[in-house]
Amino acid sequence: MVARALAIQIGIASLLIGMAGSATAQTAPTYDASGNLVLPPSYENWVFVGSNLGLAYKSGAAAMTALEATRADSQVFHNIYIDPTAYAAFVKTGVFPDPTILIMENYAAEDKDSGGVLNGGTYNGNRVRVEAAVKDSHRPTRPDSKEVWAYYSFSVNAAGQPAPATSAFPDAACYSCHKLHAGHDNVWVQFYPQLRRWIQP
């Protein structure tokens, strides 16, 4: 009986180790044959670093691209995740390693529910966008500028399911703004409590 219990424990431990190794492998960015970023599987299980509602750039600021201008009037939740391997390195060193992936899910802010129980407040409604910031010096479509960060937006269908892969925005659309305004290494750590806590003032 003891031997059997020990064998079961060893088997469970081996399974967990295998799962951990598999999860680690999936946190590295992957690309399709065209160089498009593949949406990481199970990113919802990554480290949740913060959320905000309805943030919009100042009109006329360098951050206000044409894309962002169309979003400024909408109340949208931004929920941010970072891959656990990169987060562990960031906590230890204060530096986002190469590679790092941050995923931002955007949900419409809803204030009514089908059951009619709500009397106030807002919650995450339908998913409307999935975006990614990736630090990867080895990405296949890295531009001549040699910038290591790239930014992506996955289209979402009517059922809220994001596209499996997407191409990077041009540097002028995102990188320059992040470099100018982001709190640390092109990342908006000032808005995410689980990141800014590790940055010394």
Side-chain angles (χ1 to χ4, degrees), residues 164-177:
T166 192
S167 59
F169 283 110
D171 282 350
C174 298
Y175 180 87
S176 57
C177 169

Side-chain angles (χ1 to χ4, degrees), residues 68-152:
E68 292 296 339
T70 64
R71 303 176 179 177
D73 294 331
S74 62
Q75 287 288 298
V76 176
F77 282 99
H78 299 165
N79 300 328
I80 315 299
Y81 303 84
I82 186 172
D83 75 83
T85 302
Y87 181 73
F90 177 73
V91 168
K92 185 176 181 179
T93 66
V95 175
F96 292 106
D98 184 357
T100 290
I101 309 176
L102 292 126
I103 298 290
M104 179 170 71
E105 283 193 308
N106 296 168
Y107 286 88
E110 301 289 349
D111 58 9
K112 292 179 174 56
D113 68 299
S114 58
V117 69
L118 293 180
N119 190 40
T122 55
Y123 67 94
N124 286 254
N126 294 326
R127 181 164 54 184
V128 295
R129 281 188 301 275
V130 177
E131 302 182 350
V134 179
K135 185 178 186 179
D136 183 9
S137 61
H138 301 292
R139 61 187 166 98
T141 56
R142 190 176 176 194
D144 292 337
S145 63
K146 306 302 182 185
E147 305 296 2
V148 295
W149 284 97
Y151 302 89
Y152 304 82

Side-chain angles (χ1 to χ4, degrees), residues 15-101:
L15 178 62
L16 291 175
I17 290 171
M19 290 173 63
S22 181
T24 299
Q26 292 180 10
T27 63
T30 58
Y31 305 87
D32 65 16
S34 300
N36 298 322
L37 178 71
V38 176
L39 184 66
S42 302
Y43 65 81
E44 300 94 336
N45 297 322
W46 290 3
V47 180
F48 179 72
V49 298
S51 182
N52 57 68
L53 173 63
L55 291 188
Y57 298 129
K58 291 181 178 179
S59 178
M64 180 61 80
T65 63
L67 176 64
E68 292 296 339
T70 64
R71 303 176 179 177
D73 294 331
S74 62
Q75 287 288 298
V76 176
F77 282 99
H78 299 165
N79 300 328
I80 315 299
Y81 303 84
I82 186 172
D83 75 83
T85 302
Y87 181 73
F90 177 73
V91 168
K92 185 176 181 179
T93 66
V95 175
F96 292 106
D98 184 357
T100 290
I101 309 176

